[in-house]
């Protein structure tokens, strides 16, 4: 067809070759890139401790029973496939907000909040970022904890916000740098946006204790900051959904009109169905209506309206009493297995003869553990033992099983002794 | 003091407000000719039999789980979807220069394409590059490109209201006079909202100008199969442009032709000059996807992939699509016949000449208001009707109401 073109349109010979000649190869996504490298490895003992997806003790993806049951119920209903409203499935957004805030929360009773269904946690953060970018009258700065989930930065940046940080993780203790956090937060300019991980901080697994949350809430109020909560692990962190949402509820109680992102990827294992919510707590129902109308205006030119399948499953689980109980049990089970693996890893390291203090592995909470390994040690762990993790020393505990925890302890000891 | 106390109430999206008003209307003979979704002759949504079959297969397959899809989506969906658009034997596919991004519906595919073009098309900041959309066009086209950062979204002449057909001279004129490298959003078939498509000869003329003036081709293909009943026929324009050697984007939707509206199944097909350019383009698409939705939803893509990749299911699907297309064609014939029988002033040939889900009736805003308020027949202010809203049971009422509107309202 090159010949066809040049014979039919002779003045095109010499036309540019490609529009995309100047497009650079994008860097591989650090988190998802780990899985891709893992897949290429042929070592039978390889371990994928990269992406945060739960695995059972056989190292297999886990489809929750409550999900399978919900799917069967839904299939029997023979529902149609008509477009959802822009803001999503109404029953879902209601249940989603109740899960986060508690069914008897005054905010829900007064109708002064709005929750829209989003494309899981990422979609929620993006809509939130877009909303702030368009409507937040305060500074463009979003303060992230140092470190934070890698994708937070590009999401907010693409939405037109600027990124700053507050101290959070203390590498010397592998724990929370409470003093550093308070010190940095006290200097944040008024009306800036501060992002907080509600529970199971990603990537460190380090969460503030309740008394510390109280001080943070107080200080944030003094500084008049807009709080953006990211809650991707409700239920998954401690095994208790109310306990994991405590920080969110406390801040609201203290009068913060927060914005909140929720994900059901991990706690319901609905990763690929993209189930999430974005909530704005407002002053009153009228403001909530206005905010809702603007959220729809933001959503429509991105994807028009959200996908049904996952939201339908989540709603069925949350609103069917015995499925809800089953879910709570299963989420508790997942959290417990993680906790057990943490204990076994530390026991294994002691057994290997490691003299380092590994207490932080047990103190940290949720899917991830910030091992404290340095980049060179991580590289060795990957090259010599085929243990795949992100360069910051983060491991996904979900990838650890009773079958491989010994091998992992052996590898970590080998690169740190 | 709330940070959001200044947030103004936004106007509702018109087409959804229309459906809302329809739903709230207690009038027994009400008819919804608004939002673009297929309806059976009983006025009901239709889950395609092949979709029901495949969903059963999926729900019973214990090997399947709900893990994340890759960032660019389900591979077997992407390749099958691109083949549908370009043809199995497409030279471009054989030359390994066709790739795809699974997206959230046609909207999501347009969004991804727009975001990419803004960053990479002609230099690395295309905020001032003109984007041309047809006059009229699907109302969300403007917002998709504007929100992706394009500051200059303009109309190109398309619909000739007087002769109720394509304004080819105007269209070609805009192609000749626009700035070089402008981006053009073309409707692959079943133009929304007019239902008026260029003929093959007219597409050839359009392509010639676009090639000569170095304009970017961005097809929006939301009705393949649904328009004529034939996948190949409805893809003729897209395939012609590929054969002419264009590098181009094609945003595909499977909402209508699979009836999978709420599962958000879309595909952005990318045709590049060669495999290397394609590879780099897709790598940058990944970055854009990652900050928008990370990875796309699995369910709908699985249904489509399973169907397209199975010979028997594929045949069954084509049959389901033809069922929908045929009913629409029947309603067009009958509406025209009834209006002619009533002696309604004007010519009504355009109803059967137009193609796809929509028809631009030619009713003016006052006449539309009459239809909605007095007759409880809901259609867009532009005079656009969704043919799928017509049934053998309501077509007389609709024809009579149009007759009344045209004869009593100026």
């Amino acid at each position: 067809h090159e010949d066809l073109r040049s014979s039919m349109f002779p003045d095109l010979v010499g036309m540019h070759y490609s529009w995309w000649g100047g497009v650079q190869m994008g860097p591989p996504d650090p988190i998802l890139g780990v899985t891709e490298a893992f897949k290429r490895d042929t070592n039978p003992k390889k371990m994928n401790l990269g992406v945060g997806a739960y695995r059972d003790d056989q190292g297999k993806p886990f489809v929750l029973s409550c999900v399978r049951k919900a799917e069967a119920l839904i299939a029997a209903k023979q529902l149609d496939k008509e477009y959802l409203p822009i803001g999503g499935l109404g029953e879902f957004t209601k249940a989603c907000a109740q899960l986060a805030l508690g069914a008897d929360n005054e905010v829900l009773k007064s109708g002064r909040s709005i929750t829209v269904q989003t494309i899981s946690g990422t979609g929620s953060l993006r809509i939130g970022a877009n909303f702030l970018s368009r409507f937040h009258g305060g500074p463009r700065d979003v303060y992230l904890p140092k470190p934070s989930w890698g994708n937070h930065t590009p999401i907010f940046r693409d939405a037109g916000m600027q990124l700053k940080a507050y101290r959070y993780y203390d590498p010397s203790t592998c724990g929370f740098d409470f003093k550093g956090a308070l010190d940095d937060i006290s200097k944040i300019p008024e009306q800036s946006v501060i992002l907080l991980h509600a529970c199971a901080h990603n990537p460190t697994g380090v969460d503030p204790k309740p008394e510390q949350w109280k001080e943070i809430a107080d200080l944030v109020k003094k500084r008049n900051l807009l709080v953006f909560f990211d809650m991707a692990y409700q239920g998954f962190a401690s095994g208790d959904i109310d306990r994991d949402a405590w920080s969110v509820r406390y801040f609201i109680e203290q009068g913060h009109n927060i914005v909140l992102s929720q994900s059901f990827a991990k706690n319901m294992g609905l990763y690929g169905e993209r189930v999430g919510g974005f909530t704005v707590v407002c002053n009153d129902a009228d403001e909530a209506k206005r905010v809702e109308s603007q959220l729809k205006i933001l959503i429509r030119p991105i994807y028009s309206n959200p996908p049904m399948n996952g939201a339908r499953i989540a709603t069925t689980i949350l609103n069917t009493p015995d499925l809800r109980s089953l879910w709570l049990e299963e989420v508790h089970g997942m959290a417990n297995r993680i906790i057990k693996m943490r204990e076994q890893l530390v026991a294994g390291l002691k057994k290997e003869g490691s003299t380092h203090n590994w207490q932080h592995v047990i103190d940290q909470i949720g899917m991830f553990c910030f091992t404290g390994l340095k980049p060179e040690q991580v590289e060795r762990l990957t090259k010599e033992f085929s243990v795949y993790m992100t360069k910051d020393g983060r491991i996904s505990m979900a990838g650890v099983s009773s079958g491989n925890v010994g091998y992992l302890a052996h590898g970590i000891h080998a690169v740190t002794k | 003091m709330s940070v959001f106390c200044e947030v103004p109430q936004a106007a509702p999206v018109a087409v959804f407000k229309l459906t809302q008003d329809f739903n709230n209307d207690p009038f027994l003979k009400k008819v919804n000719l608004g939002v673009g979704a297929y309806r059976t002759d009983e006025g009901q949504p239709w889950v395609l039999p092949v979709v029901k079959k495949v969903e059963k297969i999926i729900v019973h397959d214990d090997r399947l789980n709900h893990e994340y899809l890759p960032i660019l989506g389900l591979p077997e969906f992407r390749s099958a979807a691109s083949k549908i658009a370009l043809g199995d034997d497409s030279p471009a596919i054989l030359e390994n220069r066709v790739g795809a991004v699974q997206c959230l519906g046609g909207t999501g595919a347009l969004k991804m394409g727009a975001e990419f073009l803004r960053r990479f098309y002609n230099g690395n900041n295309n905020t001032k590059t003109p984007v041309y959309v047809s006059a009229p066009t699907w109302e969300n086209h403007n917002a998709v490109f504007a929100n992706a950062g394009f500051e200059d979204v303009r109309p190109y002449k398309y619909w000739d209201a007087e002769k109720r057909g394509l304004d080819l001279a105007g269209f070609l004129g805009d192609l000749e006079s626009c700035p070089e490298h402008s981006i053009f959003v073309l409707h692959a078939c079943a133009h929304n909202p007019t239902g008026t498509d260029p003929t093959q000869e007219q597409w050839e003329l359009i392509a010639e100008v676009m090639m000569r003036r170095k304009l970017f081709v961005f097809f929006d293909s939301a009705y393949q199969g649904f328009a004529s009943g034939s996948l190949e026929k409805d893809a003729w324009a897209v395939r012609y442009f590929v054969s002419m050697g264009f590098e181009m984007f094609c945003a595909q939707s499977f909402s209508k032709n699979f009836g999978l509206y709420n599962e958000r199944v879309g595909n952005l097909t990318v045709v590049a000059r060669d495999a290397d350019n394609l590879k780099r383009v897709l790598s940058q698409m990944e970055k854009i996807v990652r900050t928008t939705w990370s990875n796309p939803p699995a369910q709908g893509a699985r249904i489509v992939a399973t169907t397209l990749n199975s010979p028997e299911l594929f045949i069954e699907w084509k049959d389901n699509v033809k069922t929908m297309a045929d009913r629409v064609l029947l309603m067009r014939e009958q509406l025209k016949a009834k209006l002619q029988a009533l002696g309604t002033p004007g010519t009504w040939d355009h109803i059967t000449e137009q193609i796809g889900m929509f028809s631009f009736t030619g009713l003016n805003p006052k006449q539309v208001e009459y239809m909605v308020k007095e007759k409880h027949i809901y259609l867009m202010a532009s005079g656009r009707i969704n043919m799928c809203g017509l049934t053998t049971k309501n077509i007389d009422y609709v024809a009579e109401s149009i007759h009344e509107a045209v004869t009593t309202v100026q």
Side-chain angles (χ1 to χ4, degrees), chain A residues 17 19 23 81 272 290 294, chain B residues 7-8 55 66 247 273 280:
Chain A
Y17 182 69
W19 283 119
V23 174
K81 303 252 174 231
R290 285 182 281 115
Q294 295 293 350
Chain B
V7 173
E55 282 187 313
H66 292 290
E247 282 188 303
R273 189 66 68 210
R280 284 178 282 106

Side-chain angles (χ1 to χ4, degrees), chain B residues 39 60 79 144 209 212 220 228 237 266 281 293 304 328 338 350 395-396 401 409:
Chain B
R39 291 287 177 270
H60 287 118
S79 54
V144 169
V209 184
R212 177 167 34 86
D220 183 353
S228 70
V281 167
W293 55 62
V304 174
V328 170
K338 286 180 195 295
H350 57 283
I395 195 161
D396 284 315
S401 303
V409 182

Side-chain angles (χ1 to χ4, degrees), chain A residues 158-181:
Chain A
D158 273 13
M161 303 298 280
Q162 275 154 13
L163 282 310
K164 294 220 158 64
Y166 56 93
R167 272 172 287 168
Y168 189 84
Y169 177 71
D170 185 346
S172 64
T173 61
C174 293
F176 184 35
D177 181 1
F178 184 42
K179 266 178 132 185

Side-chain angles (χ1 to χ4, degrees), chain A residues 1-2 4-6 8-9 12 15, chain B residues 97 203-204 207-208 211 237-248 273:
Chain A
H1 56 272
E2 284 290 343
L4 178 71
R5 272 179 56 214
S6 56
M8 284 181 72
F9 309 119
L12 291 179
M15 184 178 155
Chain B
R97 55 191 190 86
W203 275 125
E204 287 171 11
E208 189 272 322
M211 179 65 84
V238 175
R239 296 177 190 187
Y240 176 74
F241 274 68
V242 173
S243 76
M244 290 309 294
F246 283 92
E247 282 188 303
M248 51 193 257
R273 189 66 68 210

